[in-house]
Amino acid sequence: MPSNPSKLAHALARICANCPVCQQARRKQRGVAFQIVKHVETKVCPACRAYAKVTGRQAHEPVRPAHNDPLTGQNNQAGTGVGRPVRRLS
């Protein structure tokens, strides 16, 4: 994994992060979408390959609940989703 992926790699990784098929595969970890992303898209889709370079995990692997998101630079809190700010209830 390169230490500093290009701007193009980041742009393609964002496409994969927002792709409905890839999102479904990351969320459910089973079914048709998971099989497509795991076996086909990672070999064919440039966005899935860029996602793997930028994040360090394959497009079908689940998103860890609390980690620093390399796409946004934010620290995600458990249960808030990718890139969403934490909402506090008073």
Side-chain angles (χ1 to χ4, degrees):
M1 179 171 88
S3 61
N4 206 0
S6 68
K7 289 181 181 181
L8 177 62
H10 277 278
L12 287 171
R14 281 190 202 100
I15 291 171
C16 181
N18 294 321
C19 171
V21 177
C22 295
Q23 285 178 340
Q24 178 79 6
R26 282 190 286 274
R27 231 185 355 258
K28 299 291 183 178
Q29 293 293 295
R30 63 184 181 280
V32 175
F34 179 74
Q35 294 300 320
I36 289 171
V37 173
K38 184 175 179 181
H39 297 293
V40 177
E41 288 198 11
T42 53
K43 293 176 181 76
V44 176
C45 179
C48 290
R49 288 195 305 262
Y51 183 86
K53 283 182 185 178
V54 172
T55 63
R57 61 184 179 271
Q58 295 297 316
H60 64 274
E61 292 179 8
V63 176
R64 290 168 266 170
H67 70 285
N68 287 326
D69 186 6
L71 295 177
T72 62
Q74 297 177 354
N75 185 10
N76 296 324
Q77 301 297 321
T80 61
V82 174
R84 294 185 187 160
V86 177
R87 203 168 136 188
R88 305 278 184 217
L89 299 175
S90 305

